Amino acid sequence: MKLSESLARLRYGLFPDHLVGEVLSKRWTDNAIPLVFLLATVIGVGTAIPDFFSLASLADASRQLGEFAIVVMGLTIVMLGGGIDLSVGATFALSAFASVAVIYIMGGPIWLALLAALATGAVVGAANGVLIGYLRLRAFLTTLVTFTILHAIYSILVVNFSAQVQLADVQTPIWDFIGDGGVAGFPISLIVAVLVAILAHVFISRSRLGWHVLAVGGSRRSAFNAGISVRRTVFMTYMISGLCSGLAGFLIGARLSGVGPGTGAGLEILALTAGVVGGNSLGGGRGSIAKGLMGAVIVLILTNGLIRLGFTSGTNQMVLGVVLALAVFLDVRWLKNRSKVLAKVYVAPVYSALPSTPSAEPDSGSPFALNDRLAETEFIGLGEIEGPEDVILDEDDNLYCGTRNGEVVRFLAPDYKQWEVFAHTGGFPLGLAFDRAGALTVCVGAMGLYSVARDRTVTRLSAETNRTPFSILDDARLRDPNDCDIAPDGRIFFTDSTTRYDAHDWALDSVESRPTGRLLVYDPRNGRTRTVLRGMSYLNGVCMAHDGQSLFLAESWACRVHRYWFDGPKAGRLDCVIAAMPGYPDNINRASDGGYWMAWLGMRTPSYDLALRKPGMRKRMTRRLPQDDWLFPNINTGGVVKFDENGAITEVLGNLGGHSHPMVTSMREHKGALYVGGILNNRIGRYRLEGADPSWTGMRSYWGEGR
Amino acid sequence: MTGWFLLLGRRRQEDTVFLLTILLFLTFSFVLHGFLTTGNIIALLRSVALLGILAVGMGIVVIGRGIDLSLVAILAISVAVFLNLLGQSYPIGIALLLALVGVIAVGALNGVLTAYAEMPAIFATLATGTFVYGLGRSQFLTQDVIYLPPGHDLFTAFGNARLASIPVEVVVFAFILVGAFLWLRFSKYGRYIYLIGDNLNAARNAGLPVRPVIVLQYVVSALLAFVAGLIMAAGIHSMNTRIVNSSLLYDVILVVVIGGIGLSGGKGGVRNLIVGTLLIGILLNGMTILDISDLYQNLIKATVLLAALIVDGVLNPRDEQTDQQGDI
């Protein structure tokens, strides 16, 4: 190996480039900007005002924070649902007036004051909700107008009643305690805010209604088409915001023991800035209660800091304007460019040197030499199906395959002219296997392991395995379940080809060539799924050996075949039976003569083999070229090979012109014929095998003569 | 029935509003003592002129599918700074030039934030409005109200000028209306604004200079705000920056929406602005004659605006399938 290659291998093997893309693909990275902003604010204000974070100062600020945070959380929920509520300040003031009026003018009890404040908030929220949710008015303008209406009402009320409030001589210790007191040093308003925060967080992140809010905010149209009541959901968000403002109004009423003309003035701008600065996306769908809280803390520290620094009036607005503009700007840019950056940096190639191999050239005399025998296949379902990745036959000779439309299709014996949709699984059904009871086990790409019973009921067997500690990507999820086979005891062994790419991006995994494929086992006795082997390069086909104790495993991008013993005396042993091949292996299935059929989904090329040894070149390619211009492995010429127990090649079937079966991903022998499927093909091929046992079927081979 | 209703709603909103305006005018003429007098009509026109000039600025931006919430802040701060410069005995030409540069800069900032940074217009202009007020109030001005220093007779004379007994602001308003009409209807960039407001992506694909035109529309609206501010200051010889907190901005939006310029852009014109301005002007004037206090006037105006929004929403409902994501 040349020195430069060794260096490249070290560089791309040791340095975890892939983590950049994985971290960026995480939603929690949205928190990075607001968090940095928060730290900058804390450090900046903390150094400018030495005693800003002293205890006395904090106690006062936290009381303010409580009320403010409650308002911001209400607004955050509205923003998550794709709306905006500018009436929060006026609602806040009006609710404060309502509670103050109950205490000082009516002489009513505390609970009535609280109820009055909440009711005020609820009425305003309901009005906003009806206008924006049901009448579908524009949120910004509508709440701006409700704000002016409420503000006008509030001003009228304050002018008429404030003297009465000031002159009232009412002593209510509980009221004063809510305003000034606290529990263990924490002011009541802060405690209430924490409770509201927990409630709101659980609501948004753990409840069905909360998810509806996020769905509506994320994509109104999709939410509507998915059957979510968009109007009711939007209505609800404004209702919640109104209630939050009402609660906060009650708290400020208690704190100030009265209301003035300035109560709640400018609160909407502050709250809006807090919501956006915290990282909640305008237009909805992205954000959280935590972000709202972060924004509330930032804005409060900033404004209080500016006041403490003794700036003249107006400075606050100036800074707030800049912060608001900056936050919206970052939000818009982040949203627009994150996916672009992610698409650019996600592919992180590693060094991969494929061992040299005998040639596959026709008439080269090597055991791999291709021929044109597959050109003689007859077609089944030509042009009627799309993407039969795997094919299988039952004991009545009916032929099954998956399609990219998410269906399992059945061609009826004996002539396979007629077909029907056997079951709809969704996703992309790939590998197939029959269990002892005759139920069809299906690996559904992008979804998991499913079972279709004889009566066509679809059951999910497994969609997750144990998660690796400290993995950034959630590798408990099955991303690309590819092929499965069933042990005599009923355990289902199946492969999950990559943890880095979704099923439809399977070819990208080759450009990266990072071995992340896994062998998993699903145990029907306890319903658990466990990872058996990991770190394989696109682990694809899996086939139960004739001994019932071991499996043949195909690593597509490494062009290798392994044998793994899961049972018997050699249990746990992993042998490489074919170390190098000129083709990329796919599914493996039993042959009637005691050997195994293996599909080649494509053939290695010298140029791509070289590219695999140049990770830097592939990295530059993925960064600088559009995907259409990337160098991909050749998946336009494939074939079928047969090997024996020891991995020696005994037969090769190819299609040189590529007219019948340019790529092959699967094949099944059944009663003297080989049925050939391909993930990019629009047909299934049937090839008559000379001299094969005309009564041999897979069902009998697996489950005995009775079938 | 629906078709007729749509015709009424979509094509004829300004006609309906015009009819309403005449009805209101006639009602006030008969019911209100002192409404139909030359003095009051002139006062009405004067008060309407200011609102109308601002509405032209807002209208142009709204046609281009934007909104300018910084209008009143620009008006107040630019003129206050201008008066302040006069107070520091700058020559009027220099002061005007400096103020003009500032106004164009703020307008361009609005445009750049919406067109190039692609921020939603409401947030961009809300932020610049807040920023401009804060900057002017904290860095340039020492008090809320800035008075015109003595010795600027030309300026005050301008404020009191009459053209055939028509006050100068009305004349200016008329000029601006004619100018806006000609610009929007016949000039290349005026037509571009409609195209951009109607479908921004289509306009961009057609090769229109979308971003510069958006910047232009915000600069125009900022300039109109400055003009309105100058007229205001010429009349009352001062500028109260607290006007930022008043309901003037809502009145301007009210005029535009009531006049029938759809907030989704691409529709409407000067005719809509005229009927909207007249209706709101007559309403405000009538309420003042009725001696309704400012507080209640605000309440009534806001309620009327809400009603207008509801009618607009019912006549031009938004569809779940075609709604723009993030279009709030």
Side-chain angles (χ1 to χ4, degrees):
Chain A
M1 195 188 285
K2 280 194 291 186
L3 179 67
S4 61
E5 273 190 36
S6 307
L7 286 177
R9 186 177 173 183
L10 275 177
R11 150 72 182 83
Y12 290 96
L14 294 178
F15 191 79
D17 298 76
H18 61 296
L19 294 184
V20 178
E22 291 188 3
V23 166
L24 264 181
S25 70
K26 285 295 186 182
R27 281 183 72 128
W28 47 256
T29 48
D30 285 1
N31 287 324
I33 296 174
L35 194 66
V36 168
F37 207 94
L38 177 62
L39 291 176
T41 317
V42 167
I43 293 169
V45 173
T47 43
I49 312 166
D51 68 334
F52 189 81
F53 293 105
S54 70
L55 258 148
S57 170
L58 277 184
D60 193 43
S62 60
R63 201 174 286 279
Q64 253 183 60
L65 177 67
E67 293 140 13
F68 183 56
I70 294 173
V71 173
V72 172
M73 281 186 274
L75 181 63
T76 300
I77 290 178
V78 170
M79 285 172 69
L80 287 177
I84 197 153
D85 191 354
L86 295 180
S87 68
V88 286
T91 315
F92 175 78
L94 210 57
S95 309
F97 180 85
S99 58
V100 165
V102 166
I103 300 280
Y104 293 104
I105 297 174
M106 290 168 54
I110 299 287
W111 62 265
L112 194 62
L114 177 62
L115 203 67
L118 288 178
T120 310
V123 168
V124 175
N128 280 331
V130 167
L131 291 172
I132 297 158
Y134 288 100
L135 291 177
R136 283 171 299 159
L137 302 184
R138 279 157 195 285
F140 193 94
L141 274 177
T142 310
T143 52
L144 198 62
V145 172
T146 45
F147 158 73
T148 45
I149 292 179
L150 295 173
H151 189 70
I153 294 174
Y154 177 71
S155 306
I156 292 166
L157 288 173
V158 165
V159 165
N160 292 336
F161 292 101
S162 63
Q164 229 172 312
V165 170
Q166 272 165 15
L167 293 178
D169 182 31
V170 181
Q171 293 300 323
T172 41
I174 307 177
W175 174 251
D176 294 338
F177 174 73
I178 293 171
D180 301 324
V183 179
F186 294 104
I188 297 288
S189 69
L190 190 67
I191 294 168
V192 174
V194 168
L195 292 178
V196 171
I198 293 169
L199 210 67
H201 177 74
V202 170
F203 168 74
I204 280 293
S205 60
R206 299 288 185 278
S207 81
R208 180 182 294 264
L209 280 175
W211 294 344
H212 283 185
V213 171
L214 288 170
V216 168
S219 173
R220 211 180 149 88
R221 190 184 309 176
S222 305
F224 179 76
N225 292 346
I228 295 174
S229 171
V230 171
R231 298 179 180 199
R232 202 188 57 213
T233 309
V234 171
F235 171 83
M236 195 183 58
T237 60
Y238 287 95
M239 197 75 184
I240 292 172
S241 171
L243 283 172
C244 284
S245 299
L247 182 61
F250 170 76
L251 291 171
I252 187 110
R255 178 153 68 92
L256 301 182
S257 301
V259 284
T263 307
L267 184 67
E268 55 284 333
I269 304 277
L270 283 176
L272 181 64
T273 310
V276 183
V277 169
N280 293 302
S281 193
L282 294 167
R286 281 170 54 253
S288 65
I289 296 298
K291 287 183 185 171
L293 288 177
M294 236 183 328
V297 173
I298 293 172
V299 167
L300 216 60
I301 290 179
L302 212 57
T303 50
N304 277 1
L306 287 173
I307 292 170
R308 289 276 298 275
L309 284 171
F311 280 114
T312 50
S313 82
T315 314
N316 240 329
Q317 271 101 328
M318 184 174 77
V319 173
L320 219 54
V322 173
V323 169
L324 180 61
L326 200 69
V328 176
F329 173 75
L330 285 176
D331 172 57
V332 169
R333 290 281 126 184
W334 176 262
L335 200 63
K336 189 177 173 183
N337 292 321
R338 188 176 93 144
S339 55
K340 280 191 201 165
V341 172
L342 187 59
K344 262 199 187 320
V345 304
Y346 191 79
V347 182
V350 293
Y351 177 86
S352 161
L354 297 183
S356 64
T357 166
S359 165
E361 238 174 281
D363 309 320
S364 59
S366 96
F368 293 113
L370 284 174
N371 49 48
D372 204 20
R373 285 164 64 189
L374 274 187
E376 297 156 24
T377 55
E378 35 185 310
F379 299 145
I380 296 170
L382 176 65
E384 290 168 7
I385 47 168
E386 289 182 60
E389 203 267 350
D390 198 5
V391 292
I392 198 164
L393 294 103
D394 65 10
E395 62 251 69
D396 300 323
D397 303 336
N398 297 314
L399 173 65
Y400 299 78
C401 72
T403 73
R404 74 179 184 90
N405 314 90
E407 277 151 2
V408 176
V409 164
R410 170 157 75 175
F411 287 88
L412 300 177
D415 56 2
Y416 306 119
K417 295 265 187 264
Q418 269 195 315
W419 61 273
E420 59 181 356
V421 172
F422 180 61
H424 184 87
T425 58
F428 192 161
L430 302 171
L432 306 168
F434 275 112
D435 69 8
R436 194 182 289 277
L440 188 61
T441 307
V442 191
C443 275
V444 183
M447 287 170 68
L449 187 68
Y450 284 70
S451 169
V452 184
R454 282 174 181 255
D455 64 0
R456 305 184 179 205
T457 48
V458 179
T459 334
R460 187 178 76 186
L461 299 180
S462 167
E464 56 179 26
T465 175
N466 49 316
R467 182 168 176 167
T468 324
F470 309 117
S471 67
I472 292 173
L473 281 185
D474 180 6
D475 65 357
R477 193 162 64 103
L478 302 186
R479 248 184 145 158
D480 194 3
N482 208 319
D483 194 20
C484 56
D485 213 347
I486 304 173
D489 61 2
R491 277 184 293 170
I492 303 171
F493 287 89
F494 63 110
T495 56
D496 186 32
S497 300
T498 167
T499 58
R500 293 264 301 155
Y501 294 91
D502 287 329
H504 61 273
D505 277 336
W506 61 280
L508 285 186
D509 192 65
S510 157
V511 176
E512 176 162 314
S513 277
R514 186 180 297 276
T516 58
R518 298 176 290 179
L519 177 70
L520 312 170
V521 59
Y522 166 79
D523 195 334
R525 285 165 295 199
N526 56 19
R528 291 224 185 96
T529 306
R530 198 165 51 77
T531 307
V532 183
L533 299 170
R534 65 175 81 244
M536 315 281 265
S537 181
Y538 207 79
L539 197 61
N540 199 328
V542 53
C543 178
M544 192 62 52
H546 291 288
D547 64 5
Q549 294 184 339
S550 58
L551 298 162
F552 285 98
L553 302 166
E555 269 188 288
S556 288
W557 308 136
C559 301
R560 281 188 298 215
V561 175
H562 299 280
R563 187 167 187 175
Y564 174 72
W565 279 267
F566 61 91
D567 237 346
K570 288 183 179 174
R573 194 165 138 182
L574 183 69
D575 281 351
C576 186
V577 288
I578 305 179
M581 281 189 288
Y584 303 108
D586 204 304
N587 287 0
I588 304 175
N589 288 309
R590 287 181 184 177
S592 57
D593 62 356
Y596 303 91
W597 294 106
M598 172 167 62
W600 277 346
L601 64 94
M603 304 302 292
R604 279 165 61 180
T605 54
S607 55
Y608 198 74
D609 282 1
L610 181 63
L612 285 180
R613 283 167 26 217
K614 305 281 179 196
M617 175 285 235
R618 278 180 290 142
K619 184 174 171 180
R620 286 193 296 281
M621 171 182 84
T622 57
R623 304 294 189 271
R624 297 184 195 168
L625 293 179
Q627 209 176 30
D628 283 358
D629 293 345
W630 290 5
L631 194 60
F632 275 105
N634 161 33
I635 50 176
N636 297 320
T637 323
V640 175
V641 291
K642 191 155 78 173
F643 61 92
D644 61 17
E645 292 275 340
N646 304 316
I649 303 298
T650 56
E651 201 171 345
V652 177
L653 304 173
N655 181 206
L656 298 177
H659 295 295
S660 303
H661 292 285
M663 81 172 311
V664 183
T665 53
S666 176
M667 70 275 107
R668 297 270 176 188
E669 186 178 340
H670 186 81
K671 294 191 176 168
L674 196 65
Y675 295 81
V676 181
I679 196 168
L680 299 180
N681 294 352
N682 63 347
R683 70 200 74 173
I684 295 169
R686 177 160 59 173
Y687 179 75
R688 295 270 165 218
L689 290 168
E690 298 292 327
D693 179 357
S695 64
W696 188 90
T697 69
M699 278 302 267
R700 275 197 212 115
S701 168
Y702 275 86
W703 309 117
E705 285 303 316
R707 311 305 292 262
Chain B
M1 178 64 199
T2 333
W4 181 82
F5 206 58
L6 283 180
L7 198 72
L8 183 83
R10 290 215 170 127
R11 292 252 174 83
R12 300 282 176 91
Q13 186 175 335
E14 70 254 42
D15 298 351
T16 319
V17 173
F18 190 53
L19 210 70
L20 213 66
T21 311
I22 292 173
L23 276 177
L24 200 65
F25 185 81
L26 291 178
T27 318
F28 278 171
S29 303
F30 284 114
V31 177
L32 291 185
H33 184 67
F35 180 77
L36 196 63
T37 59
T38 325
N40 185 51
I41 296 298
I42 286 179
L44 191 157
L45 283 177
R46 282 184 83 156
S47 67
V48 148
L50 214 99
L51 193 61
I53 294 171
L54 288 173
V56 171
M58 181 71 90
I60 288 172
V61 175
V62 170
I63 289 171
R65 205 192 276 173
I67 195 162
D68 191 350
L69 301 182
S70 63
L71 217 51
V72 176
I74 294 174
L75 174 152
I77 296 302
S78 64
V79 175
V81 168
F82 168 68
L83 295 181
N84 204 36
L85 287 175
L86 289 185
Q88 293 166 12
S89 36
Y90 278 83
I92 191 161
I94 302 286
L96 204 59
L97 195 73
L98 284 176
L100 212 55
V101 167
V103 165
I104 291 174
V106 174
L109 178 66
N110 275 331
V112 167
L113 288 182
T114 44
Y116 290 89
E118 295 176 5
M119 282 162 62
I122 32 182
F123 292 103
T125 55
L126 186 70
T128 45
T130 315
F131 171 71
V132 164
Y133 172 75
L135 179 76
R137 187 65 192 78
S138 66
Q139 305 300 314
F140 301 127
L141 310 171
T142 45
Q143 66 238 54
D144 281 334
V145 187
I146 309 294
Y147 292 96
L148 179 69
H152 288 282
D153 298 334
L154 201 68
F155 194 58
T156 47
F158 170 74
N160 296 327
R162 293 280 187 281
L163 192 80
S165 80
I166 301 170
V168 68
E169 49 259 62
V170 180
V171 177
V172 173
F173 178 40
F175 267 110
I176 287 175
L177 279 181
V178 173
F181 172 76
L182 293 176
W183 190 61
L184 283 175
R185 179 61 69 87
F186 296 110
S187 86
K188 187 167 76 174
Y189 290 103
R191 299 314 297 167
Y192 282 178
I193 289 181
Y194 279 94
L195 297 177
I196 290 167
D198 197 38
N199 190 334
L200 187 118
N201 286 326
R204 173 173 289 162
N205 291 345
L208 264 53
V210 169
R211 287 173 159 172
V213 172
I214 292 178
V215 174
L216 180 70
Q217 80 192 21
Y218 283 101
V219 171
V220 168
S221 81
L223 285 175
L224 286 172
F226 184 50
V227 170
L230 282 181
I231 288 174
M232 191 185 236
I236 56 176
H237 303 176
S238 66
M239 172 53 71
N240 186 349
T241 53
R242 287 195 166 267
I243 196 172
V244 169
N245 300 325
S246 76
S247 63
L248 183 59
L249 184 66
Y250 309 121
D251 293 352
V252 176
I253 297 175
L254 184 59
V255 166
V256 171
V257 174
I258 292 263
I261 297 184
L263 287 168
S264 46
K267 284 183 233 141
V270 171
R271 256 189 324 165
N272 305 68
L273 289 172
I274 296 175
V275 287
T277 312
L278 282 179
L279 180 67
I280 301 309
I282 291 170
L283 195 69
L284 293 183
N285 185 274
M287 286 199 291
T288 310
I289 292 179
L290 278 169
D291 201 19
I292 298 174
S293 82
D294 256 11
L295 289 175
Y296 288 93
Q297 280 201 21
N298 285 343
L299 187 60
I300 292 168
K301 275 187 300 191
T303 314
V304 171
L305 182 52
L306 186 62
L309 284 176
I310 292 173
V311 170
D312 183 47
V314 171
L315 290 180
N316 307 313
R318 305 207 297 162
D319 187 354
E320 308 287 5
Q321 298 294 330
T322 58
D323 244 6
Q324 301 262 327
Q325 191 68 29
D327 186 11
I328 50 179

